[in-house]
Amino acid sequence: MKKKFIDRIREMKGGEILEPVIFPDSLDSLKTMAPIIIKQPYAIDYIHSYGQDSPWFAGLANKKLLGTKCCKCGYVFATPKLSCMECGAECDWVELPQEGRIHSFTVCHFGAEAFLDQCPFILGLIEFEGADTLLLTRLVGPNPNEANLKWVGMKVKAEFVQKPECKPTDVYFVPV
Amino acid sequence: MRAVYLVSGGVSKFTKARHDKTFQGIVKEAVDYTVNDLGIEYKNFLELTDGSVASYFSDHFQRQLMSGIMAQDYLGLCPKPSHRVEGGGATGGLAFQEGYKAIASGYMDLCCVYGFETMSHVETWKGNEFIALASDVSFDFPVGGFYSGYYAMMVVRHMKEFGTTVEQMAHVSVKNHRNAYHNPYAQKRQKLTIEDVRQSTMVAWPLTRLDICVMSDGAASVVLASEEGVRKLEKASGQTLPKVKVTGIGRGTDAMRMSDRPHKKVPLLSFEKEADYKNLKYPGIHSFRAGRSAASEAYKNAGIKNPMEELDFVELHDAYTSSEIQTYEDLGLCRYGEGGEMATSGKTFMPGIDYGMKLKEKPVCPVNPSGGLIACGHPVGATGLMQAVFALWQLQGTIAKHFKDEALQVKGAKRGLIHSHAGTGTYVTVSILEAA
Ligand SMILES: [Zn+2]
């Protein structure tokens, strides 16, 4: 019986071969064989510590928005850094105002696999009075289909989720 | 420091998926081409080469650690010295400069730099997730990690600050896709209109699918040499090499989180004045401070005062049409705020190619004559080296030989710039190449 040589990409489901792997009679033709493709699942729970940034997440759980301020030069970080990027001195925790303005934004119509089911969603960078840096957050309220440059500068305020998960999404911003 | 020459290069075809070969096989394709073009036997190459640099970004795309050594042994380069370089999207540019350093310092006379990425091992949206892990996983990724979203926020601010428009961005897409029409190595060779770009699927407002580069499988490699290395190669091949000299390198960095970028003064290039930027807070999120830093360092080393006049072409990292516009400004091809206008002016287009639209000015310094990342594809670790190879061929005047088409040859090109850029502008490299 003449064996049929593999001439196209082979897919396997969960390690199960969907059809028998057929081998040619002569080794000479092996270099023209189509590739065999298998699936290799990969899942893992990472033990992720927020380390010195932990108080920021504890703040969210208590409806407080924290930033840090350099003890030496006074630079204020709206996304916390415990070491000052400007002078290298240590920073202290301070409370940020819960109102700010949209510095920039986008509407994500696609996203990483983890967020695909939430599309379209709005990402925003928020600027605060008295802070030198910004905060990345979700914006809720504006219609994602009506994105326009006028959103830049819009006054927004922090809202906190009812059931905090110790993630940066425990806070989001809405128009004032 | 010793003089450093770029003497040969090779690129595998960039495609969405290369299931026919493992990454080692794809790298071998690029290196085989590089060696062939030197006119020597592979065995000769192995005898003469002092060592290598491996360029690849991701470990989790392949779920394989130490891929570098697997390429090294497949190439037959063991037990020669080698190391892996990683710096996000700038991996290739950084690796190229590591090769440069190996030669300039006197450590090696001949160094092979090879790069690759095989991104087809995961589905597109998982791939996007993997790439987004190149953002802070405590504060940024969980909010909705998506690189196209990050670049969209950056260009929204550029639009607000300078009045840049989506049509100006679309010009970059039309130009680069159209250039790639003549580049057989490119993944996307398309004739597009501004309307095509704007009407394509919205990905992250205001960026559409045609404003964004695609994921690829591919490899590229180069050989760098000292004067002594060149002599060895010329002796082995019995012919004179049309070589190119690396006359300056520069690098810069910026904070991983865009939210941490400062709002200060512009570090000026020699043709700029402080008065040009009276009300501009820099870099904010609208500009890439790392790009300016890299350019300024490279120009100083190469003695360049006015890049637009002194460069014959630029191959820059256009992962997004918006970042090409932003990079015009970082590189000083125009002042900050003028990038949008530059994109539509015609100055960065190729002469002799019909783009299907009227352009105000004649080409001055073609940008991404190869088609850039947008059209060629972006197999991360290979990308910066692909730019080096295309720039080498431009300066050798051998585009027609390698592309089987002379349309993309910048006539009489003497000096070119290559620019490699990592996520949101964190690492940027600039290297200046000159016909020797
Ligand atoms: Zn400080």
Side-chain angles (χ1 to χ4, degrees):
Chain A
M1 195 182 77
K2 187 92 178 128
K3 285 176 188 170
K4 193 176 167 289
F5 186 40
I6 303 169
D7 56 0
R8 60 193 168 82
I9 288 171
R10 305 186 61 86
E11 290 269 6
M12 298 191 191
K13 219 172 196 175
E16 217 176 295
I17 301 167
L18 297 180
E19 48 187 297
V21 176
I22 298 163
F23 210 70
D25 294 324
S26 156
L27 297 189
D28 297 340
S29 55
L30 275 179
K31 281 186 182 171
T32 59
M33 187 173 123
I36 295 174
I37 300 166
I38 61 161
K39 281 189 180 162
Q40 295 185 320
Y42 187 51
I44 191 160
D45 287 325
Y46 279 92
I47 315 300
H48 184 74
S49 170
Y50 289 128
Q52 76 276 15
D53 298 327
S54 298
W56 190 77
F57 296 88
L60 298 187
N62 291 281
K63 300 194 181 342
K64 283 185 196 307
L65 193 58
L66 300 181
T68 59
K69 184 174 182 178
C70 176
C71 309
K72 283 258 167 65
C73 74
Y75 203 83
V76 175
F77 296 89
T79 313
K81 267 199 188 291
L82 270 290
S83 178
C84 177
M85 268 198 325
E86 291 298 305
C87 75
E90 203 179 316
C91 297
D92 287 334
W93 289 99
V94 292
E95 217 174 318
L96 289 178
Q98 297 203 353
E99 271 191 29
R101 287 179 188 277
I102 298 178
H103 183 77
S104 194
F105 73 92
T106 184
V107 179
C108 294
H109 294 273
F110 293 90
E113 192 179 83
F115 310 106
L116 264 187
D117 58 346
Q118 300 164 22
C119 295
F121 58 85
I122 310 172
L123 290 179
L125 282 160
I126 310 300
E127 54 186 46
F128 301 93
E129 192 78 37
D132 294 291
T133 68
L134 309 167
L135 176 70
L136 176 69
T137 191
R138 286 279 185 105
L139 292 170
V140 178
N143 182 345
N145 296 317
E146 289 168 12
N148 70 84
L149 280 185
K150 287 183 193 133
W151 290 5
V152 175
M154 186 194 289
K155 263 188 153 177
V156 289
K157 62 174 185 191
E159 293 276 343
F160 298 88
V161 298
Q162 292 307 311
K163 290 182 184 150
E165 294 177 78
C166 289
K167 286 182 179 174
T169 40
D170 286 352
V171 66
Y172 58 96
F173 282 71
V174 298
V176 172
Chain B
M1 287 206 295
R2 302 195 303 171
V4 180
Y5 297 95
L6 174 58
V7 290
S8 189
V11 183
S12 79
K13 168 92 178 158
F14 289 0
T15 56
K16 186 170 166 33
R18 279 291 301 268
H19 291 308
D20 63 315
K21 282 186 183 172
T22 63
F23 69 90
Q24 301 102 305
I26 305 171
V27 175
K28 183 72 173 14
E29 253 177 43
V31 175
D32 275 339
Y33 195 98
T34 307
V35 173
N36 263 333
D37 205 40
L38 283 170
I40 58 173
E41 295 291 318
Y42 197 85
K43 199 165 168 294
N44 260 172
F45 162 75
L46 291 181
E47 284 160 9
L48 293 174
T49 301
D50 295 306
S52 69
V53 180
S55 166
Y56 60 102
F57 157 61
S58 170
D59 295 309
H60 48 249
F61 265 102
Q62 303 196 129
R63 208 194 66 164
Q64 172 70 63
L65 300 184
M66 302 273 283
S67 298
I69 197 60
M70 295 169 74
Q72 178 84 352
D73 71 37
Y74 198 82
L75 292 172
L77 283 167
C78 293
K80 294 171 195 286
S82 186
H83 73 284
R84 181 249 184 119
V85 171
E86 188 277 313
T91 298
L94 289 165
F96 179 82
Q97 297 189 348
E98 288 308 299
Y100 169 92
K101 289 184 195 172
I103 304 294
S105 64
Y107 177 53
M108 292 182 191
D109 283 320
L110 282 169
C111 179
C112 177
V113 185
Y114 53 82
F116 58 91
E117 212 74 47
T118 47
M119 308 175 82
S120 65
H121 293 216
V122 297
E123 300 292 338
T124 300
W125 301 113
K126 183 52 98 181
N128 269 285
E129 190 172 310
F130 279 175
I131 291 168
L133 289 172
S135 62
D136 189 322
V137 298
S138 290
F139 290 95
D140 290 349
F141 177 78
V143 179
F146 186 36
Y147 253 85
S148 297
Y150 301 159
Y151 278 86
M153 285 190 283
M154 299 185 97
V155 78
V156 162
R157 194 64 204 182
H158 200 273
M159 291 160 81
K160 182 75 184 175
E161 206 76 53
F162 303 122
T164 310
T165 67
V166 291
E167 287 73 25
Q168 290 171 334
M169 285 148 59
H171 274 72
V172 173
S173 180
V174 172
K175 169 175 69 70
N176 294 357
H177 282 100
R178 186 67 185 80
N179 287 349
Y181 197 76
H182 298 280
N183 180 352
Y185 290 95
Q187 188 165 341
K188 290 168 75 198
R189 306 167 70 186
Q190 297 171 346
K191 292 180 179 175
L192 301 172
T193 63
I194 303 295
E195 294 70 47
D196 291 334
V197 181
R198 289 319 301 164
Q199 282 162 18
S200 146
T201 312
M202 187 59 72
V203 174
W205 192 88
L207 299 171
T208 73
R209 188 156 282 187
L210 290 173
D211 283 308
I212 304 173
C213 71
V214 288
M215 286 188 226
S216 309
D217 285 0
S221 76
V222 297
V223 171
L224 292 159
S226 64
E227 303 261 7
E228 180 57 27
V230 171
R231 263 196 296 278
K232 286 181 193 172
L233 288 171
E234 289 184 339
K235 195 175 163 219
S237 68
Q239 57 191 20
T240 313
L241 291 171
K243 57 195 184 292
V244 159
K245 194 173 177 183
V246 186
T247 54
I249 65 165
R251 290 183 180 183
T253 57
D254 213 333
M256 172 65 122
R257 301 190 304 221
M258 284 190 295
S259 55
D260 289 340
R261 308 280 168 87
H263 293 79
K264 297 181 167 179
K265 281 185 179 173
V266 179
L268 303 174
L269 292 174
S270 56
F271 66 93
E272 294 170 316
K273 288 187 282 301
E274 209 171 314
D276 296 341
Y277 304 124
K278 257 186 299 196
N279 300 311
L280 183 60
K281 289 186 175 140
Y282 183 88
I285 59 160
H286 53 76
S287 297
F288 305 120
R289 181 169 56 155
R292 176 46 69 98
S293 163
S296 182
E297 204 176 282
Y299 293 158
K300 206 174 132 207
N301 290 332
I304 293 175
K305 296 266 185 286
N306 190 330
M308 196 61 182
E309 280 170 18
E310 296 173 53
L311 295 168
D312 297 313
F313 68 91
V314 169
E315 287 284 346
L316 65 78
H317 192 98
D318 59 330
Y320 299 89
T321 53
S322 50
S323 38
E324 174 159 329
I325 290 179
Q326 289 159 313
T327 299
Y328 290 161
E329 302 171 353
D330 302 325
L331 296 180
L333 301 182
C334 58
R335 285 184 176 75
Y336 279 106
E338 297 172 351
E341 246 171 77
M342 172 73 101
T344 57
S345 68
K347 286 181 181 173
T348 58
F349 286 65
M350 276 297 290
I353 287 179
D354 178 14
Y355 294 93
M357 54 190 181
K358 258 208 142 88
L359 297 160
K360 278 169 279 176
E361 296 183 59
K362 286 204 173 75
V364 176
C365 174
V367 173
N368 288 323
S370 68
L373 282 58
I374 286 215
C376 290
H378 182 20
V380 187
T383 305
L385 295 169
M386 164 196 80
Q387 295 171 321
V389 177
F390 292 155
L392 168 71
W393 293 345
Q394 286 289 1
L395 294 164
Q396 287 178 332
T398 55
I399 286 288
K401 170 181 156 195
H402 297 288
F403 286 4
K404 313 278 180 277
D405 185 335
E406 61 177 359
L408 297 178
Q409 177 67 54
V410 178
K411 302 256 163 22
K414 289 275 177 298
R415 177 143 68 174
L417 179 153
I418 53 175
H419 162 273
S420 195
H421 162 124
T424 70
T426 45
Y427 294 108
V428 179
T429 68
V430 168
S431 303
I432 309 292
L433 309 175
E434 294 182 37

